[in-house]
Amino acid sequence: MTYCVAVRVDQGLVMLSDTRTNAGMDNIARFRKSFTYSVAGERAITLMCSGNLSITQGVKAMLGRAIKDSQRDPEIESILNCATMHRVAQLVGDAMCEMQHHYRSTIEMQGSGADASILVAGQRRGGKQRLYLIYSAGNFIEATEDTPFFQIGEHKYGKPILDRIVRRETTLEDATKAVLVSMDSTLRSNLSVGMPLDLTVIERDQFDFRVRTRIEADNEEFQLLSLGWSAALRKGFEDLPNVLG
């Protein structure tokens, strides 16, 4: 299973994903779900994937092949040379559509689900920072001022903190803290989501990654954040008025 969350605020973009894809009794597997692409000083893009692993890996392979081919022939379009972030979302959606067309019926005949979704976040020089959610059919929606974050996978446990905290004017530091708390809440309530985590932060108009790091289970800062959030919740609960006379 998966939990990925991406936030777009005025100061930048924050993306966080876990790495667990199977949580069976004797089969716990890890795969990276967050992938970064950049041209220094020109654009920085992050993709995060959820759903059928063969579909999302196929999409990633198609995008990577186009990038490699475009280095030999600049006329070949890729997510690193296309004109807009909207076009980036279209290219990802086209790759998703092609993978679904080729493999969906076969996958479903075997009793597995072929649904997948991808979050696309980034900014190119001359354009605004963008955040898109790509669906299995290849269509997509964009984050807005009213909806500044997207989640894919096991989203229900981590949504309340985002609903209460994240606004377009939220600082990049607070947005990062919010997605980490959102992930911590999910980790505590759902065993199908697991460490380590991949965190990416893109500061507005910098066209590069301010943060691109893996957070392991023994990360001291994440442990302190988790303990602090638990203590704050307990204190807040204890301070609530009694409802029984």
Side-chain angles (χ1 to χ4, degrees):
M1 299 299 290
T2 298
Y3 178 46
C4 302
V5 55
V7 170
R8 189 191 77 179
V9 294
D10 287 343
Q11 291 185 358
L13 297 153
V14 183
M15 291 71 66
L16 182 67
S17 67
D18 81 314
T19 53
R20 181 166 291 176
T21 57
N22 193 319
M25 289 295 292
D26 58 355
N27 183 21
I28 297 177
R30 298 193 320 188
F31 284 90
R32 178 180 288 274
K33 304 166 190 176
S34 179
F35 307 95
T36 58
Y37 307 84
S38 64
V39 176
E42 200 280 327
R43 71 182 65 193
I45 300 168
T46 298
L47 271 60
M48 295 192 297
C49 305
S50 173
N52 185 283
L53 187 61
S54 65
I55 293 291
T56 56
Q57 285 191 344
V59 170
K60 179 179 176 292
M62 291 178 66
L63 298 173
R65 185 164 58 249
I67 291 172
K68 185 176 181 179
D69 291 345
S70 69
Q71 294 172 348
R72 184 184 66 256
D73 181 1
E75 294 299 315
I76 295 176
E77 189 177 34
S78 78
I79 63 172
L80 289 185
N81 67 9
C82 61
T84 64
M85 280 300 302
H86 186 269
R87 182 57 183 157
V88 170
Q90 287 181 324
L91 292 174
V92 177
D94 289 347
M96 174 75 83
C97 190
E98 185 171 342
M99 289 297 299
Q100 293 284 349
H101 174 74
H102 282 296
Y103 298 109
R104 188 178 187 90
S105 60
T106 305
I107 292 171
E108 291 180 342
M109 283 177 60
Q110 300 299 315
S112 298
D115 286 341
S117 52
I118 297 177
L119 295 177
V120 179
Q123 186 181 16
R124 67 169 188 87
R125 184 173 293 279
K128 296 180 180 180
Q129 53 189 11
R130 302 290 192 187
L131 171 59
Y132 299 93
L133 169 56
I134 317 292
Y135 296 107
S136 290
N139 57 320
F140 56 88
I141 59 174
E142 182 179 2
T144 66
E145 292 182 5
D146 294 325
T147 307
F149 65 87
F150 286 140
Q151 302 166 281
I152 55 177
E154 294 292 333
H155 59 81
K156 54 185 176 291
Y157 304 105
K159 191 171 187 294
I161 180 65
L162 302 176
D163 285 334
R164 287 177 167 85
I165 297 297
V166 176
R167 302 290 184 270
R168 57 167 292 183
E169 64 273 12
T170 302
T171 66
L172 200 56
E173 288 75 12
D174 282 349
T176 303
K177 186 161 48 177
V179 300
L180 289 169
V181 169
S182 176
M183 180 64 75
D184 178 68
S185 300
T186 305
L187 291 169
R188 283 179 172 269
S189 299
N190 194 320
L191 291 177
S192 68
V193 177
M195 304 286 281
L197 313 175
D198 289 313
L199 174 66
T200 307
V201 179
I202 302 173
E203 193 170 357
R204 188 184 67 188
D205 297 334
Q206 296 304 303
F207 317 110
D208 202 351
F209 301 102
R210 175 173 171 179
V211 175
R212 183 169 45 180
T213 189
R214 171 155 288 193
I215 300 172
E216 299 288 351
D218 60 356
N219 182 276
E220 184 176 355
E221 290 183 349
F222 185 75
Q223 290 176 350
L224 289 173
L225 182 144
S226 177
L227 291 171
W229 179 241
S230 294
L233 285 177
R234 285 194 296 270
K235 179 64 166 58
F237 180 81
E238 292 168 358
D239 290 343
L240 290 173
N242 293 324
V243 295
L244 297 179

PDB file of all heavy atoms in Angstrom, residues 169-196:
ATOM      1  N   GLU A 169      -1.239  30.553   2.325  1.00  0.00           N
ATOM      2  CA  GLU A 169      -0.288  31.427   3.002  1.00  0.00           C
ATOM      3  C   GLU A 169       0.548  30.700   4.059  1.00  0.00           C
ATOM      4  O   GLU A 169       1.425  31.312   4.684  1.00  0.00           O
ATOM      5  CB  GLU A 169      -1.016  32.606   3.651  1.00  0.00           C
ATOM      6  CG  GLU A 169      -1.990  32.249   4.760  1.00  0.00           C
ATOM      7  CD  GLU A 169      -3.387  31.910   4.261  1.00  0.00           C
ATOM      8  OE1 GLU A 169      -3.558  31.733   3.035  1.00  0.00           O
ATOM      9  OE2 GLU A 169      -4.306  31.834   5.108  1.00  0.00           O
ATOM     10  N   THR A 170       0.308  29.427   4.283  1.00  0.00           N
ATOM     11  CA  THR A 170       1.115  28.650   5.221  1.00  0.00           C
ATOM     12  C   THR A 170       2.584  28.689   4.799  1.00  0.00           C
ATOM     13  O   THR A 170       2.903  28.586   3.613  1.00  0.00           O
ATOM     14  CB  THR A 170       0.626  27.186   5.247  1.00  0.00           C
ATOM     15  OG1 THR A 170      -0.751  27.149   5.623  1.00  0.00           O
ATOM     16  CG2 THR A 170       1.434  26.359   6.230  1.00  0.00           C
ATOM     17  N   THR A 171       3.477  28.851   5.767  1.00  0.00           N
ATOM     18  CA  THR A 171       4.902  28.903   5.430  1.00  0.00           C
ATOM     19  C   THR A 171       5.379  27.538   4.945  1.00  0.00           C
ATOM     20  O   THR A 171       4.769  26.501   5.243  1.00  0.00           O
ATOM     21  CB  THR A 171       5.745  29.327   6.640  1.00  0.00           C
ATOM     22  OG1 THR A 171       5.673  28.299   7.645  1.00  0.00           O
ATOM     23  CG2 THR A 171       5.268  30.651   7.207  1.00  0.00           C
ATOM     24  N   LEU A 172       6.483  27.549   4.232  1.00  0.00           N
ATOM     25  CA  LEU A 172       7.053  26.302   3.733  1.00  0.00           C
ATOM     26  C   LEU A 172       7.471  25.396   4.892  1.00  0.00           C
ATOM     27  O   LEU A 172       7.318  24.167   4.825  1.00  0.00           O
ATOM     28  CB  LEU A 172       8.247  26.615   2.823  1.00  0.00           C
ATOM     29  CG  LEU A 172       8.690  25.535   1.834  1.00  0.00           C
ATOM     30  CD1 LEU A 172       7.552  25.112   0.926  1.00  0.00           C
ATOM     31  CD2 LEU A 172       9.873  26.020   1.011  1.00  0.00           C
ATOM     32  N   GLU A 173       7.978  25.990   5.955  1.00  0.00           N
ATOM     33  CA  GLU A 173       8.384  25.219   7.125  1.00  0.00           C
ATOM     34  C   GLU A 173       7.180  24.549   7.778  1.00  0.00           C
ATOM     35  O   GLU A 173       7.234  23.365   8.152  1.00  0.00           O
ATOM     36  CB  GLU A 173       9.093  26.123   8.139  1.00  0.00           C
ATOM     37  CG  GLU A 173      10.485  26.559   7.722  1.00  0.00           C
ATOM     38  CD  GLU A 173      10.482  27.644   6.636  1.00  0.00           C
ATOM     39  OE1 GLU A 173       9.396  28.222   6.366  1.00  0.00           O
ATOM     40  OE2 GLU A 173      11.554  27.900   6.077  1.00  0.00           O
ATOM     41  N   ASP A 174       6.071  25.295   7.921  1.00  0.00           N
ATOM     42  CA  ASP A 174       4.875  24.719   8.540  1.00  0.00           C
ATOM     43  C   ASP A 174       4.220  23.685   7.621  1.00  0.00           C
ATOM     44  O   ASP A 174       3.667  22.688   8.104  1.00  0.00           O
ATOM     45  CB  ASP A 174       3.872  25.823   8.883  1.00  0.00           C
ATOM     46  CG  ASP A 174       4.243  26.584  10.145  1.00  0.00           C
ATOM     47  OD1 ASP A 174       5.155  26.129  10.862  1.00  0.00           O
ATOM     48  OD2 ASP A 174       3.636  27.636  10.404  1.00  0.00           O
ATOM     49  N   ALA A 175       4.272  23.915   6.318  1.00  0.00           N
ATOM     50  CA  ALA A 175       3.725  22.934   5.378  1.00  0.00           C
ATOM     51  C   ALA A 175       4.508  21.623   5.471  1.00  0.00           C
ATOM     52  O   ALA A 175       3.923  20.531   5.443  1.00  0.00           O
ATOM     53  CB  ALA A 175       3.765  23.478   3.957  1.00  0.00           C
ATOM     54  N   THR A 176       5.828  21.729   5.606  1.00  0.00           N
ATOM     55  CA  THR A 176       6.661  20.534   5.751  1.00  0.00           C
ATOM     56  C   THR A 176       6.332  19.805   7.050  1.00  0.00           C
ATOM     57  O   THR A 176       6.196  18.579   7.075  1.00  0.00           O
ATOM     58  CB  THR A 176       8.154  20.922   5.726  1.00  0.00           C
ATOM     59  OG1 THR A 176       8.443  21.609   4.512  1.00  0.00           O
ATOM     60  CG2 THR A 176       9.030  19.687   5.827  1.00  0.00           C
ATOM     61  N   LYS A 177       6.180  20.565   8.119  1.00  0.00           N
ATOM     62  CA  LYS A 177       5.827  19.966   9.405  1.00  0.00           C
ATOM     63  C   LYS A 177       4.454  19.295   9.327  1.00  0.00           C
ATOM     64  O   LYS A 177       4.266  18.193   9.876  1.00  0.00           O
ATOM     65  CB  LYS A 177       5.850  21.041  10.491  1.00  0.00           C
ATOM     66  CG  LYS A 177       5.653  20.535  11.893  1.00  0.00           C
ATOM     67  CD  LYS A 177       6.147  21.533  12.942  1.00  0.00           C
ATOM     68  CE  LYS A 177       5.652  22.950  12.696  1.00  0.00           C
ATOM     69  NZ  LYS A 177       6.084  23.872  13.764  1.00  0.00           N
ATOM     70  N   ALA A 178       3.521  19.912   8.619  1.00  0.00           N
ATOM     71  CA  ALA A 178       2.170  19.346   8.501  1.00  0.00           C
ATOM     72  C   ALA A 178       2.165  18.023   7.751  1.00  0.00           C
ATOM     73  O   ALA A 178       1.478  17.074   8.151  1.00  0.00           O
ATOM     74  CB  ALA A 178       1.237  20.349   7.818  1.00  0.00           C
ATOM     75  N   VAL A 179       2.933  17.925   6.663  1.00  0.00           N
ATOM     76  CA  VAL A 179       2.929  16.666   5.917  1.00  0.00           C
ATOM     77  C   VAL A 179       3.629  15.560   6.721  1.00  0.00           C
ATOM     78  O   VAL A 179       3.245  14.386   6.643  1.00  0.00           O
ATOM     79  CB  VAL A 179       3.553  16.813   4.510  1.00  0.00           C
ATOM     80  CG1 VAL A 179       2.799  17.829   3.681  1.00  0.00           C
ATOM     81  CG2 VAL A 179       5.026  17.144   4.565  1.00  0.00           C
ATOM     82  N   LEU A 180       4.636  15.925   7.509  1.00  0.00           N
ATOM     83  CA  LEU A 180       5.306  14.928   8.356  1.00  0.00           C
ATOM     84  C   LEU A 180       4.371  14.430   9.455  1.00  0.00           C
ATOM     85  O   LEU A 180       4.326  13.227   9.747  1.00  0.00           O
ATOM     86  CB  LEU A 180       6.579  15.515   8.953  1.00  0.00           C
ATOM     87  CG  LEU A 180       7.732  15.733   7.963  1.00  0.00           C
ATOM     88  CD1 LEU A 180       8.837  16.571   8.590  1.00  0.00           C
ATOM     89  CD2 LEU A 180       8.293  14.395   7.473  1.00  0.00           C
ATOM     90  N   VAL A 181       3.602  15.330  10.052  1.00  0.00           N
ATOM     91  CA  VAL A 181       2.616  14.911  11.053  1.00  0.00           C
ATOM     92  C   VAL A 181       1.529  14.069  10.395  1.00  0.00           C
ATOM     93  O   VAL A 181       1.064  13.064  10.961  1.00  0.00           O
ATOM     94  CB  VAL A 181       2.009  16.141  11.756  1.00  0.00           C
ATOM     95  CG1 VAL A 181       0.806  15.738  12.605  1.00  0.00           C
ATOM     96  CG2 VAL A 181       3.050  16.826  12.633  1.00  0.00           C
ATOM     97  N   SER A 182       1.123  14.452   9.195  1.00  0.00           N
ATOM     98  CA  SER A 182       0.131  13.687   8.452  1.00  0.00           C
ATOM     99  C   SER A 182       0.618  12.258   8.209  1.00  0.00           C
ATOM    100  O   SER A 182      -0.127  11.284   8.384  1.00  0.00           O
ATOM    101  CB  SER A 182      -0.161  14.382   7.115  1.00  0.00           C
ATOM    102  OG  SER A 182      -1.044  13.627   6.319  1.00  0.00           O
ATOM    103  N   MET A 183       1.881  12.125   7.833  1.00  0.00           N
ATOM    104  CA  MET A 183       2.452  10.797   7.617  1.00  0.00           C
ATOM    105  C   MET A 183       2.555  10.033   8.933  1.00  0.00           C
ATOM    106  O   MET A 183       2.254   8.827   8.995  1.00  0.00           O
ATOM    107  CB  MET A 183       3.829  10.924   6.965  1.00  0.00           C
ATOM    108  CG  MET A 183       4.514   9.590   6.683  1.00  0.00           C
ATOM    109  SD  MET A 183       3.662   8.537   5.491  1.00  0.00           S
ATOM    110  CE  MET A 183       4.077   9.396   3.953  1.00  0.00           C
ATOM    111  N   ASP A 184       2.974  10.702   9.996  1.00  0.00           N
ATOM    112  CA  ASP A 184       3.090  10.044  11.297  1.00  0.00           C
ATOM    113  C   ASP A 184       1.746   9.487  11.749  1.00  0.00           C
ATOM    114  O   ASP A 184       1.674   8.361  12.260  1.00  0.00           O
ATOM    115  CB  ASP A 184       3.625  11.038  12.328  1.00  0.00           C
ATOM    116  CG  ASP A 184       3.721  10.437  13.713  1.00  0.00           C
ATOM    117  OD1 ASP A 184       4.561   9.542  13.908  1.00  0.00           O
ATOM    118  OD2 ASP A 184       2.950  10.854  14.594  1.00  0.00           O
ATOM    119  N   SER A 185       0.678  10.246  11.549  1.00  0.00           N
ATOM    120  CA  SER A 185      -0.664   9.774  11.910  1.00  0.00           C
ATOM    121  C   SER A 185      -1.037   8.539  11.111  1.00  0.00           C
ATOM    122  O   SER A 185      -1.664   7.610  11.634  1.00  0.00           O
ATOM    123  CB  SER A 185      -1.687  10.889  11.669  1.00  0.00           C
ATOM    124  OG  SER A 185      -1.395  12.030  12.438  1.00  0.00           O
ATOM    125  N   THR A 186      -0.646   8.509   9.837  1.00  0.00           N
ATOM    126  CA  THR A 186      -0.945   7.359   8.982  1.00  0.00           C
ATOM    127  C   THR A 186      -0.129   6.147   9.389  1.00  0.00           C
ATOM    128  O   THR A 186      -0.637   5.024   9.435  1.00  0.00           O
ATOM    129  CB  THR A 186      -0.674   7.725   7.511  1.00  0.00           C
ATOM    130  OG1 THR A 186      -1.412   8.899   7.164  1.00  0.00           O
ATOM    131  CG2 THR A 186      -1.091   6.596   6.583  1.00  0.00           C
ATOM    132  N   LEU A 187       1.140   6.352   9.681  1.00  0.00           N
ATOM    133  CA  LEU A 187       1.996   5.247  10.116  1.00  0.00           C
ATOM    134  C   LEU A 187       1.458   4.585  11.377  1.00  0.00           C
ATOM    135  O   LEU A 187       1.534   3.360  11.531  1.00  0.00           O
ATOM    136  CB  LEU A 187       3.415   5.762  10.374  1.00  0.00           C
ATOM    137  CG  LEU A 187       4.234   6.204   9.156  1.00  0.00           C
ATOM    138  CD1 LEU A 187       5.493   6.934   9.607  1.00  0.00           C
ATOM    139  CD2 LEU A 187       4.602   5.018   8.278  1.00  0.00           C
ATOM    140  N   ARG A 188       0.917   5.380  12.274  1.00  0.00           N
ATOM    141  CA  ARG A 188       0.427   4.844  13.549  1.00  0.00           C
ATOM    142  C   ARG A 188      -0.861   4.051  13.380  1.00  0.00           C
ATOM    143  O   ARG A 188      -1.164   3.160  14.173  1.00  0.00           O
ATOM    144  CB  ARG A 188       0.186   5.985  14.550  1.00  0.00           C
ATOM    145  CG  ARG A 188       1.461   6.525  15.156  1.00  0.00           C
ATOM    146  CD  ARG A 188       1.177   7.668  16.114  1.00  0.00           C
ATOM    147  NE  ARG A 188       2.397   8.042  16.817  1.00  0.00           N
ATOM    148  CZ  ARG A 188       2.790   7.534  17.976  1.00  0.00           C
ATOM    149  NH1 ARG A 188       2.068   6.600  18.557  1.00  0.00           N
ATOM    150  NH2 ARG A 188       3.901   7.940  18.548  1.00  0.00           N
ATOM    151  N   SER A 189      -1.662   4.374  12.352  1.00  0.00           N
ATOM    152  CA  SER A 189      -2.997   3.793  12.215  1.00  0.00           C
ATOM    153  C   SER A 189      -3.114   2.770  11.106  1.00  0.00           C
ATOM    154  O   SER A 189      -4.146   2.104  11.001  1.00  0.00           O
ATOM    155  CB  SER A 189      -4.023   4.913  11.977  1.00  0.00           C
ATOM    156  OG  SER A 189      -4.055   5.816  13.051  1.00  0.00           O
ATOM    157  N   ASN A 190      -2.102   2.622  10.269  1.00  0.00           N
ATOM    158  CA  ASN A 190      -2.203   1.715   9.130  1.00  0.00           C
ATOM    159  C   ASN A 190      -0.864   1.020   8.903  1.00  0.00           C
ATOM    160  O   ASN A 190       0.112   1.647   8.487  1.00  0.00           O
ATOM    161  CB  ASN A 190      -2.619   2.493   7.875  1.00  0.00           C
ATOM    162  CG  ASN A 190      -3.060   1.574   6.760  1.00  0.00           C
ATOM    163  OD1 ASN A 190      -2.472   0.530   6.544  1.00  0.00           O
ATOM    164  ND2 ASN A 190      -4.090   1.968   6.040  1.00  0.00           N
ATOM    165  N   LEU A 191      -0.829  -0.281   9.117  1.00  0.00           N
ATOM    166  CA  LEU A 191       0.416  -1.040   8.967  1.00  0.00           C
ATOM    167  C   LEU A 191       0.835  -1.203   7.521  1.00  0.00           C
ATOM    168  O   LEU A 191       1.972  -1.607   7.242  1.00  0.00           O
ATOM    169  CB  LEU A 191       0.256  -2.422   9.602  1.00  0.00           C
ATOM    170  CG  LEU A 191       0.139  -2.454  11.128  1.00  0.00           C
ATOM    171  CD1 LEU A 191      -0.093  -3.887  11.603  1.00  0.00           C
ATOM    172  CD2 LEU A 191       1.383  -1.863  11.776  1.00  0.00           C
ATOM    173  N   SER A 192      -0.054  -0.887   6.575  1.00  0.00           N
ATOM    174  CA  SER A 192       0.306  -1.026   5.165  1.00  0.00           C
ATOM    175  C   SER A 192       1.125   0.155   4.663  1.00  0.00           C
ATOM    176  O   SER A 192       1.547   0.177   3.510  1.00  0.00           O
ATOM    177  CB  SER A 192      -0.957  -1.180   4.303  1.00  0.00           C
ATOM    178  OG  SER A 192      -1.709   0.013   4.277  1.00  0.00           O
ATOM    179  N   VAL A 193       1.342   1.136   5.515  1.00  0.00           N
ATOM    180  CA  VAL A 193       2.207   2.273   5.208  1.00  0.00           C
ATOM    181  C   VAL A 193       3.419   2.189   6.122  1.00  0.00           C
ATOM    182  O   VAL A 193       3.270   1.966   7.324  1.00  0.00           O
ATOM    183  CB  VAL A 193       1.470   3.613   5.421  1.00  0.00           C
ATOM    184  CG1 VAL A 193       2.388   4.795   5.162  1.00  0.00           C
ATOM    185  CG2 VAL A 193       0.240   3.687   4.522  1.00  0.00           C
ATOM    186  N   GLY A 194       4.631   2.339   5.555  1.00  0.00           N
ATOM    187  CA  GLY A 194       5.808   2.130   6.390  1.00  0.00           C
ATOM    188  C   GLY A 194       7.025   2.946   5.988  1.00  0.00           C
ATOM    189  O   GLY A 194       7.117   3.454   4.879  1.00  0.00           O
ATOM    190  N   MET A 195       7.942   3.051   6.920  1.00  0.00           N
ATOM    191  CA  MET A 195       9.228   3.719   6.724  1.00  0.00           C
ATOM    192  C   MET A 195      10.093   2.885   5.789  1.00  0.00           C
ATOM    193  O   MET A 195       9.882   1.681   5.648  1.00  0.00           O
ATOM    194  CB  MET A 195       9.923   3.907   8.060  1.00  0.00           C
ATOM    195  CG  MET A 195       9.127   4.651   9.096  1.00  0.00           C
ATOM    196  SD  MET A 195       9.006   6.421   8.800  1.00  0.00           S
ATOM    197  CE  MET A 195      10.616   6.978   9.385  1.00  0.00           C
ATOM    198  N   PRO A 196      11.131   3.519   5.210  1.00  0.00           N
ATOM    199  CA  PRO A 196      11.513   4.934   5.309  1.00  0.00           C
ATOM    200  C   PRO A 196      10.621   5.830   4.450  1.00  0.00           C
ATOM    201  O   PRO A 196       9.800   5.357   3.660  1.00  0.00           O
ATOM    202  CB  PRO A 196      12.959   4.938   4.804  1.00  0.00           C
ATOM    203  CG  PRO A 196      13.016   3.793   3.858  1.00  0.00           C
ATOM    204  CD  PRO A 196      12.114   2.744   4.421  1.00  0.00           C
TER     205      PRO A 196
END
